[in-house]
Amino acid sequence: MVNRSSLTIYQFIATFVLSSCILYHLQSSIHIFCNALATNNKSKTYNYFAFGSNMYISTMINLRGIQPISSTAAVLPKHKLRFNIPGVPFIEPSSASVEPINDVSEDDVVHGVLYKLSEEDFETILSTEGVPFAYSLHRCRVITYLGDGRNAGYTAAMQKVLDTDSDDTNNIPNSNSEQSTDMSNYEVSAFTLRAARREWRQRKDIPPSQAYLNVLLRGAREFSLDEDYIQKLNSVKVGRTLGNGLAEDLLRVAEQRNR
């Protein structure tokens, strides 16, 4: 007769094996997916627009183990910054995402960082960000900052956004083509991330932790995003957490480990 403790051990082993199989197949699927996206690109590089904690270069390098090929400040028109990816209540309640919108106004742009990544690093983004369970991959066009003034992003966006009503963002060229991976281009095709589930996209935002918001602000200041946008981030209502949350602590541990 098998006792209860033996059953517990067997259940643990079975769960571990099943989880390992799921992770293996997920990683294989991501690799196949990336190969399909990069079929026509010999160098297999990807443009990735970061708007959340990945704006901070230390997050990319120390926490995710990614070495961007290049990076620059950019804006994403016709989108809103959202905090609708659910996390752990009272610890890290939510994460940021972007959602496309139909109506265009001066405020309907998301500022962030446009990274050029290798195929391996792009796969790391997909796996560490929980694609396709938490996020789904979203094709977009971003506009690189013009100049280095306090309103460089606003200047770039306003010159381009107001005359792009006729653009069809569903027919964006492959962002892995050689011409679209040039960061010096004014308008660049890229991939970004949005909420994977429809119900998350439609519900109200979940206030993030102060620690998570602080990481966003670090990235925004590091890449000299527009002062108005930094103030907008500063005004985001934060949720109730134990302490300030764990985002900064996790980043600090990763930074110390890599020294």
Side-chain angles (χ1 to χ4, degrees):
M1 181 176 180
V2 180
N3 58 37
R4 185 172 298 178
S5 61
S6 297
L7 283 175
T8 302
I9 294 173
Y10 293 144
Q11 290 171 345
F12 173 79
I13 293 174
T15 302
F16 176 79
V17 172
L18 179 60
S19 301
S20 299
C21 290
I22 293 174
L23 180 61
Y24 171 78
H25 287 295
L26 176 60
Q27 291 174 333
S28 298
S29 298
I30 290 175
H31 182 70
I32 293 171
F33 176 68
C34 288
N35 280 337
L37 289 175
T39 298
N40 297 321
N41 183 20
K42 295 180 181 179
S43 61
K44 293 186 178 180
T45 58
Y46 298 82
N47 291 333
Y48 163 65
F49 178 73
F51 47 80
S53 61
N54 286 344
M55 288 193 295
Y56 191 40
I57 195 68
S58 182
T59 300
M60 296 288 278
I61 294 174
N62 294 304
L63 195 61
R64 307 205 186 282
I66 289 173
Q67 295 291 335
I69 298 169
S70 60
S71 57
T72 186
V75 291
L76 173 61
K78 297 185 180 181
H79 286 74
K80 278 188 175 295
L81 180 69
R82 300 286 308 277
F83 293 91
N84 56 4
I85 308 297
V88 181
F90 304 108
I91 304 294
E92 287 297 337
S94 66
S95 298
S97 75
V98 293
E99 292 301 327
I101 55 176
N102 294 322
D103 299 328
V104 179
S105 73
E106 292 183 1
D107 295 328
D108 294 333
V109 294
V110 177
H111 295 239
V113 179
L114 177 64
Y115 290 105
K116 184 176 181 180
L117 303 177
S118 66
E119 179 186 19
E120 181 180 1
D121 282 345
F122 186 66
E123 289 180 10
T124 299
I125 287 292
L126 299 186
S127 60
T128 57
E129 292 290 2
V131 177
F133 305 109
Y135 290 98
S136 62
L137 207 56
H138 179 58
R139 286 179 180 263
C140 62
R141 288 187 184 275
V142 297
I143 303 168
T144 55
Y145 267 37
L146 287 178
D148 55 0
R150 290 169 58 89
N151 298 307
Y154 174 84
T155 301
M158 287 304 101
Q159 287 190 14
K160 190 68 180 176
V161 171
L162 298 179
D163 63 355
T164 56
D165 290 341
S166 62
D167 285 357
D168 182 2
T169 56
N170 292 322
N171 292 316
I172 295 174
N174 189 332
S175 70
N176 309 95
S177 64
E178 293 182 1
Q179 69 176 53
S180 66
T181 53
D182 182 359
M183 291 290 191
S184 65
N185 285 354
Y186 177 65
E187 185 176 25
V188 182
S189 297
F191 290 103
T192 192
L193 303 173
R194 66 181 299 198
R197 298 186 183 181
R198 180 176 297 178
E199 59 266 30
W200 295 351
R201 301 172 186 173
Q202 296 174 343
R203 71 182 178 190
K204 293 182 179 179
D205 283 1
I206 305 169
S209 74
Q210 183 63 60
Y212 179 75
L213 189 61
N214 286 346
V215 177
L216 269 68
L217 287 165
R218 290 189 196 184
R221 295 188 180 105
E222 183 176 41
F223 280 89
S224 300
L225 299 190
D226 284 4
E227 188 61 32
D228 287 347
Y229 191 75
I230 291 177
Q231 292 304 318
K232 182 178 179 179
L233 291 178
N234 259 320
S235 67
V236 171
K237 181 181 177 180
V238 297
R240 296 177 59 185
T241 57
L242 301 174
N244 286 334
L246 292 180
E248 289 181 297
D249 291 334
L250 292 174
L251 183 57
R252 188 178 302 113
V253 170
E255 290 171 341
Q256 292 174 349
R257 184 183 63 233
N258 292 328
R259 284 179 181 173

